[in-house]
Amino acid sequence: MNPSSLDRRLAYVIPAFNEGEMLSRVIEELRREAPPGLILVVDDASVDDTGAVAARAGAQVIRHPINRGQGMLGAEVVITFDADGQHDPLDVRRLLESLMAADSDVALGSRFLSPNQIPWLRKIVLRLGVAFTRIVSRLSITDTHNGLRAIRASALKSLRLKEDRMAHASELLDLISASKLKFVEVPCTIRYSAYSRGKGQRSSAAPRVAIEFLFGKLMR
């Protein structure tokens, strides 16, 4: 199937917590540079004007976790996209093309397959995360905790997430492995800025994230 035929059957899911300052620009970029589709902002109990900004920009807004699968979205492919301006909307089409060409269930963005300028401490933590994922989840990947993904709606039933905060990103990779979903990694751009670095997960939180994920995996 040609990726362009999916343009009207895409859903962009953007988790957002206190992203009122950046969110309008992110949605505007998606509308201008990425294939058209439903834009759904998940407002995670923000205390700023995130929800109002998203609504004014033309997005649909919910204030609770998505737990109703493809029936709610009515899309064939779901794109997850961060709200802090790190992702380049131009990478979406590359993600879709790779998903279709490889006939995969999931396409995962990888910053390590492109020449990104990654802060050195962040790079070390991410490399450790990759090693952790390969050992614990037995998934051969080059990047972890990258919020840019394309997921077929047919695969969503295998990806029921239970973890909160950043542990959900590790859980997602673990479920891809456990469900034997076919995945492909795709080079992507990460645009680091003072804003995105301030909004991102602190490197010092990595041990806590790993413990939360391991505990959740044990209880699954």
Side-chain angles (χ1 to χ4, degrees), residues 113-154:
L113 296 180
S114 289
N116 290 292
Q117 296 298 316
I118 306 172
W120 68 271
L121 181 57
R122 184 66 178 157
K123 181 183 290 188
I124 291 172
V125 172
L126 287 168
R127 291 295 193 192
L128 290 173
V130 167
F132 177 86
T133 300
R134 289 181 175 184
I135 294 169
V136 175
S137 299
R138 300 181 183 278
L139 199 67
S140 180
I141 56 168
T142 63
D143 197 358
T144 185
H145 288 205
N146 191 324
L148 182 64
R149 316 174 188 94
I151 307 171
R152 291 184 190 268
S154 57

Side-chain angles (χ1 to χ4, degrees), residues 70-201:
Q70 67 193 70
M72 181 182 68
L73 295 175
E76 291 189 18
V77 176
V78 172
I79 309 292
T80 63
F81 200 91
D82 285 351
D84 60 6
Q86 281 197 0
H87 297 318
D88 187 341
L90 294 175
D91 284 332
V92 172
R93 192 168 292 279
R94 182 189 297 179
L95 213 66
L96 291 170
E97 289 172 350
S98 298
L99 184 77
M100 300 299 144
D103 193 26
S104 294
D105 300 301
V106 183
L108 303 170
S110 173
R111 77 199 83 195
F112 288 110
L113 296 180
S114 289
N116 290 292
Q117 296 298 316
I118 306 172
W120 68 271
L121 181 57
R122 184 66 178 157
K123 181 183 290 188
I124 291 172
V125 172
L126 287 168
R127 291 295 193 192
L128 290 173
V130 167
F132 177 86
T133 300
R134 289 181 175 184
I135 294 169
V136 175
S137 299
R138 300 181 183 278
L139 199 67
S140 180
I141 56 168
T142 63
D143 197 358
T144 185
H145 288 205
N146 191 324
L148 182 64
R149 316 174 188 94
I151 307 171
R152 291 184 190 268
S154 57
L156 290 177
K157 62 180 180 296
S158 300
L159 301 174
R160 297 295 186 180
L161 301 175
K162 299 180 180 179
E163 295 295 328
D164 294 324
R165 298 184 292 275
M166 286 307 296
H168 87 277
S170 294
E171 183 187 19
L172 177 66
L173 296 175
D174 196 60
L175 290 172
I176 289 172
S177 176
S179 302
K180 294 181 170 48
L181 295 177
K182 186 177 180 182
F183 74 94
V184 60
E185 285 194 291
V186 183
C188 74
T189 300
I190 296 291
R191 304 181 294 192
Y192 290 100
S193 65
Y195 178 85
S196 66
R197 286 196 296 269
K199 292 292 296 185
Q201 182 78 17

Side-chain angles (χ1 to χ4, degrees), residues 1-115:
M1 184 181 295
N2 191 308
S4 63
S5 68
L6 281 172
D7 287 358
R8 298 293 178 182
R9 287 171 282 171
L10 297 177
Y12 296 89
V13 177
I14 307 176
F17 175 66
N18 293 342
E19 297 283 5
E21 180 180 343
M22 180 64 66
L23 190 54
S24 180
R25 188 185 313 173
V26 170
I27 294 172
E28 180 184 344
E29 278 194 338
L30 274 175
R31 291 197 184 284
R32 185 176 66 245
E33 299 174 0
L38 167 72
I39 296 179
L40 179 65
V41 172
V42 183
D43 182 0
D44 190 18
S46 299
V47 295
D48 68 352
D49 59 349
T50 289
V53 167
R56 285 197 300 269
Q60 294 190 26
V61 183
I62 59 174
R63 287 182 59 87
H64 54 82
I66 299 172
N67 192 29
R68 293 170 60 190
Q70 67 193 70
M72 181 182 68
L73 295 175
E76 291 189 18
V77 176
V78 172
I79 309 292
T80 63
F81 200 91
D82 285 351
D84 60 6
Q86 281 197 0
H87 297 318
D88 187 341
L90 294 175
D91 284 332
V92 172
R93 192 168 292 279
R94 182 189 297 179
L95 213 66
L96 291 170
E97 289 172 350
S98 298
L99 184 77
M100 300 299 144
D103 193 26
S104 294
D105 300 301
V106 183
L108 303 170
S110 173
R111 77 199 83 195
F112 288 110
L113 296 180
S114 289

